[in-house]
Amino acid sequence: MSVLSFPRIFFQGFMEWDPCTFNNNDWSEFQTYDPVNAALNWSFLKSEGITPQNFQTTFRPWAIKLQQDASDNPPGDRVPCEWNMFGTHGVSFVKYEGIKTTVTGGQLAYNQPVVNDPLIGADVQISGDGGNGAGRLVDTNPVSPWSSQIYWGKLAFGDAMTGISGPRAFRMHSRWLNMNRIYTSDQSLTQPAAAISACFQTAIPYAEVNWPSNSSSQLITALQQAASQEPAIGIMVRFTAYVNVYFRNGLFNGIKQRPRTYKDLANDLAAAWAAWNNNGDTSQFFSNPCYSHVVGTLGVWNATEVASAPVGRYLAALTLVTPPGSGGSADVGRASARPARAEARATLLTKQVSAVAAPAAAPLAVPLGPLVANVDYSTEVISLDLNSTMPENGTPGEEPSDLTKTDFGPLTLGVVNGNGFNPVYAISYDQYGQLPYELTAGIIDIPFQETISGSNTAALLQSGTLAIQVNGTTALLEAQYSAQTDSRGLYVDEKKHTGFVVAAYNFGTISPNTTVLVAQYDTNLALIPTNGSPIISFSNGDLQPITSGGVTTNVTIVTTDETGVANVEIDWVAPGFAELAFYPYSGTIPPIPTSLGGPTGNGSFTYAYYTTVRALPADNRVPQHFVDVWNKAKGNQTEAWNFVYLHILYVYDMLFSVMLEYVDLGSQSAFASSISSIWNAISATSAVESTYAMPITRDLSAGKRLTLQLYIYLIAHNFNVPNFNVNSIPPGWAPPKS
């Protein structure tokens, strides 16, 4: 199943993340952004002397000033714009002065590694629309660490002669977000999310893959053959980004500004804005990206598998566990010393959550990350994907970081049935340590013949649920039912309707006629009670209130069809963010968690099945308001511009300063000279998947989009539109190209 079947192609390296961080609200003392309404947070900014009347001269100077933040852990000096004011939201695999992401090996079948192939050493690349530019990182909820998406246009492994490439069919989403990937309680000021990791996955249909006409690579040849045979329907790419560092300009890129602390950053930002304020010079603007270690696998995508989430026999954390020692063992699990200097957070949200700690002198007790397994009864091989399971020792704030895996001793794979826990195989540290992890992206294959259970292995594996024990404690336990969706980031406008599809699985196999309960949680991950403030309403399925953990909430219950999928329909209720969590089950309705913020199981967003909904601001009245202002002002162009800027453009002008390199959103004349490109960038079509959509954050409501389009229509017609109204734009009209 998926990359757990054969053949497999492995890659390793680094990923660059370049988000603009100004709308993240990570520091509790600098709540600059109102995410619900996609606006500046005027109530907070007023306390800083920044108002709607003076923000154009006061906001940026305040945002780049080094200021004391005494409320966060650890306290220290920070800048309100956070660590990447000029970020482009770009996503790319690193290729800089010998540091790059490449194919490192593969496997044709069990115990058949490939270490000599023309594809090995080839570059891995992700790019934007049509293979141009970078992919884009966009958070559905900009102040959460659990809703990151990668918009992209093309993936490539090697060149056209030897390798393969293909276009986007499915967006990527942060899965299995693990806040405890680094085994430490240390938090460094310059490492806002060093300990976060995430798994990303996508798939490309076979017919859309650009296969070489006569590849000399046995890995590509084997993959093409496997992907062309049922039940395969294409190829799958899965990778994990982990152990992250910040403030590394000059090491993984050629950017001349190289801040190493927030003090350095404040000085560089001051110089950049001085150049702009003096003569409109943007040459001093600079990105300050993060970098992640990456390991990944390219393999087969099979029918019934969702494209963007790992599926199989799924194990989630049940109990916090503690390693017998404080660090990794110095055996073959430890790779030889080498620079490990390029790490970045996978979700790119500056929230650090430390492990659940025992008393200060004791080792930390932590949850292990998720795991999926596949059992091939025909070849008698168990394949485990530990890409997100075991933490590194790490050193937040230092490089090279310690990439050795924390030594939890043997991990005992077993089956829980009526006879209790039945051991199947002991996974030694030698098998999950750093070196084997990097060689196979965390995949471990176990032949039946090597298991403790011997000839009874097949029957035992089918007799109950899989589990992983650490020193006699069940750390991970298989969920019989799981549910996933490729629609992990949903956008719905005021008074509008949308829907998505959920696939249910039973012991890793697609599950027809299975009931799935869908519940709604708020932006703080709390279950929304019936007397609370819902963001959406359910509009299909069995709608009913249920009570769990003392909270009564409205849910819908849907049933999968003969293909194992169910439709969920929702309507906009109020602007904001909601997490819709899925609970597949049989029989009576199960109890559901009152929060998705816990450390283990389906009460934690790390292990839960959910989608994030962005209910866009209530802006349906804005177009008519603009028309009324225009008609009342009798064609006053300045009033029209002031309306558009102060109601729409100002927030993007203030928060996304890199736009000044392309068009000054604070300039009436600059906007007017760019209406053709702006028209295309703000279109509803571009917002769906394009890497060139503006705003890149996808929070432009339909009402504000129409208002901008009406303003562009006025400009294109020399501000002479008789009987101007909200329906003045003819269907199919676009401004002439400048």
Side-chain angles (χ1 to χ4, degrees):
M1 175 177 282
S2 70
V3 298
L4 293 184
S5 58
F6 295 100
R8 303 171 189 149
I9 298 171
F10 302 116
F11 59 96
Q12 183 186 352
F14 307 94
M15 179 159 274
E16 176 180 289
W17 311 91
D18 186 34
C20 177
T21 58
F22 210 168
N23 65 341
N24 286 174
N25 283 6
D26 295 299
W27 311 135
S28 58
E29 296 204 15
F30 308 121
Q31 299 293 297
T32 58
Y33 187 55
D34 172 4
V36 171
N37 298 300
L40 292 187
N41 187 359
W42 295 116
S43 60
F44 164 76
L45 293 173
K46 182 179 179 180
S47 66
E48 304 294 328
I50 302 168
T51 68
Q53 291 72 43
N54 67 18
F55 74 92
Q56 288 174 287
T57 57
T58 59
F59 182 66
R60 284 173 180 153
W62 168 82
I64 65 173
K65 182 181 177 182
L66 194 66
Q67 303 179 49
Q68 175 68 26
D69 175 9
S71 301
D72 289 297
N73 183 21
D77 289 335
R78 293 175 170 86
V79 288
C81 65
E82 304 199 21
W83 46 270
N84 200 14
M85 186 179 204
F86 298 111
T88 64
H89 286 269
V91 175
S92 59
F93 291 112
V94 173
K95 186 177 181 180
Y96 178 73
E97 293 188 353
I99 302 173
K100 57 183 181 178
T101 303
T102 61
V103 175
T104 54
Q107 291 174 308
L108 298 178
Y110 171 69
N111 207 25
Q112 292 186 34
V114 175
V115 295
N116 187 11
D117 187 274
L119 188 64
I120 295 175
D123 292 346
V124 179
Q125 302 173 62
I126 185 171
S127 51
D129 293 359
N132 300 310
R136 301 292 178 190
L137 182 87
V138 179
D139 295 324
T140 315
N141 179 349
V143 296
S144 81
W146 56 77
S147 66
S148 296
Q149 311 167 88
I150 298 176
Y151 288 80
W152 60 282
K154 182 181 178 182
L155 274 169
F157 296 80
D159 57 31
M161 295 295 293
T162 302
I164 61 173
S165 64
R168 175 201 48 77
F170 298 92
R171 198 183 314 162
M172 300 186 209
H173 304 272
S174 57
R175 307 279 185 170
W176 295 355
L177 192 77
N178 189 345
M179 310 295 279
N180 302 302
R181 180 60 185 254
I182 294 179
Y183 184 77
T184 180
S185 60
D186 176 44
Q187 297 183 45
S188 172
L189 180 61
T190 58
Q191 307 298 306
I196 296 179
S197 72
C199 177
F200 292 89
Q201 179 176 297
T202 192
I204 305 172
Y206 180 88
E208 296 183 28
V209 177
N210 299 310
W211 300 100
S213 57
N214 187 23
S215 178
S216 58
S217 166
Q218 61 178 327
L219 288 172
I220 293 297
T221 300
L223 180 61
Q224 182 174 9
Q225 181 178 6
S228 66
Q229 299 174 353
E230 293 184 352
I233 54 176
I235 63 172
M236 176 179 287
V237 180
R238 182 183 300 171
F239 63 88
T240 298
Y242 64 102
V243 183
N244 317 310
V245 294
Y246 302 71
F247 295 87
R248 289 300 179 262
N249 283 358
L251 300 175
F252 287 84
N253 60 51
I255 297 172
K256 66 178 182 180
Q257 292 88 352
R258 299 174 181 180
R260 294 293 179 261
T261 66
Y262 282 103
K263 182 178 180 180
D264 295 341
L265 180 61
N267 291 334
D268 289 337
L269 290 173
W273 282 110
W276 165 259
N277 293 328
N278 290 336
N279 55 22
D281 178 13
T282 63
S283 66
Q284 306 275 333
F285 289 3
F286 64 97
S287 289
N288 187 31
C290 301
Y291 295 89
S292 295
H293 283 87
V294 169
V295 293
T297 310
L298 171 63
V300 172
W301 176 34
N302 290 311
T304 74
E305 294 180 309
V306 294
S308 64
V311 295
R313 299 189 66 169
Y314 174 69
L315 283 69
L318 179 69
T319 308
L320 306 182
V321 291
T322 305
S326 59
S329 300
D331 59 12
V332 297
R334 182 186 295 269
S336 57
R338 60 177 179 80
R341 56 176 198 183
E343 306 104 278
R345 66 176 197 176
T347 58
L348 302 195
L349 292 155
T350 53
K351 294 182 193 286
Q352 168 90 22
V353 177
S354 63
V356 180
L364 295 174
V366 298
L368 299 186
L371 178 155
V372 288
N374 180 55
V375 180
D376 189 329
Y377 292 98
S378 62
T379 61
E380 297 189 332
V381 174
I382 307 165
S383 297
L384 306 177
D385 191 348
L386 281 72
N387 74 75
S388 296
T389 308
M390 306 305 296
E392 280 73 25
N393 288 314
T395 32
E398 300 292 336
E399 64 170 3
S401 188
D402 184 355
L403 295 183
T404 56
K405 293 286 187 179
T406 306
D407 188 353
F408 282 80
L411 310 177
T412 305
L413 171 68
V415 175
V416 177
N417 56 26
N419 298 318
F421 180 80
N422 302 270
V424 172
Y425 185 83
I427 305 167
S428 69
Y429 182 73
D430 296 2
Q431 293 172 286
Y432 69 81
Q434 178 186 350
L435 181 59
Y437 176 80
E438 293 176 346
L439 287 175
T440 64
I443 297 176
I444 297 174
D445 296 311
I446 304 167
F448 284 13
Q449 65 191 36
E450 294 183 10
T451 60
I452 300 169
S453 44
S455 60
N456 297 322
T457 296
L460 180 58
L461 291 171
Q462 297 176 78
S463 70
T465 57
L466 298 177
I468 295 284
Q469 286 196 347
V470 173
N471 196 28
T473 298
T474 300
L476 297 171
L477 182 66
E478 180 180 10
Q480 177 181 350
Y481 291 100
S482 59
Q484 295 290 2
T485 181
D486 284 322
S487 300
R488 189 65 177 279
L490 292 169
Y491 297 84
V492 58
D493 267 295
E494 181 183 7
K495 307 300 182 185
K496 293 298 183 180
H497 174 93
T498 192
F500 58 97
V501 170
V502 176
Y505 298 87
N506 184 355
F507 289 116
T509 301
I510 198 72
S511 185
N513 305 313
T514 299
T515 46
V516 181
L517 183 152
V518 186
Q520 182 178 182
Y521 294 77
D522 64 20
T523 193
N524 295 314
L525 302 178
L527 193 62
I528 298 178
T530 52
N531 61 352
S533 302
I535 302 303
I536 59 93
S537 62
F538 300 111
S539 53
N540 77 319
D542 180 7
L543 308 174
Q544 58 177 285
I546 67 166
T547 300
S548 187
V551 178
T552 300
T553 187
N554 291 318
V555 305
T556 188
I557 299 173
V558 295
T559 303
T560 61
D561 62 18
E562 64 278 3
T563 67
V565 302
N567 293 310
V568 181
E569 305 291 329
I570 61 174
D571 291 301
W572 185 99
V573 172
F577 306 91
E579 307 304 320
L580 305 184
F582 322 135
Y583 301 98
Y585 67 98
S586 62
T588 59
I589 295 176
I592 63 173
T594 57
S595 172
L596 297 181
T600 61
N602 64 8
S604 165
F605 62 79
T606 301
Y607 313 94
Y609 325 118
Y610 64 90
T611 184
T612 300
V613 179
R614 187 352 170 178
L616 289 157
D619 294 330
N620 283 356
R621 296 183 181 181
V622 176
Q624 186 60 57
H625 189 187
F626 173 68
V627 168
D628 292 343
V629 166
W630 172 257
N631 289 330
K632 183 178 180 180
K634 298 180 181 180
N636 186 309
Q637 296 180 28
T638 300
E639 289 206 26
W641 166 253
N642 287 340
F643 182 96
V644 167
Y645 182 77
L646 294 175
H647 283 80
I648 305 173
L649 296 178
Y650 85 95
V651 68
Y652 305 109
D653 182 32
M654 291 293 106
L655 294 183
F656 303 101
S657 305
V658 71
M659 283 298 298
L660 290 169
E661 297 183 10
Y662 306 96
V663 57
D664 182 355
L665 294 178
S667 166
Q668 182 177 356
S669 60
F671 185 97
S673 65
S674 304
I675 58 172
S676 178
S677 58
I678 292 172
W679 178 274
N680 293 327
I682 67 171
S683 72
T685 301
S686 293
V688 175
E689 293 293 351
S690 175
T691 56
Y692 292 101
M694 291 294 163
I696 198 65
T697 46
R698 262 72 177 182
D699 54 9
L700 185 68
S701 65
K704 288 184 175 177
R705 177 182 294 112
L706 177 55
T707 303
L708 286 177
Q709 290 170 334
L710 287 167
Y711 180 61
I712 289 172
Y713 189 72
L714 285 175
I715 295 172
H717 288 82
N718 252 349
F719 295 94
N720 183 17
V721 180
N723 302 314
F724 184 60
N725 61 78
V726 294
N727 298 311
S728 285
I729 304 173
W733 181 87
K737 293 183 178 180
S738 54

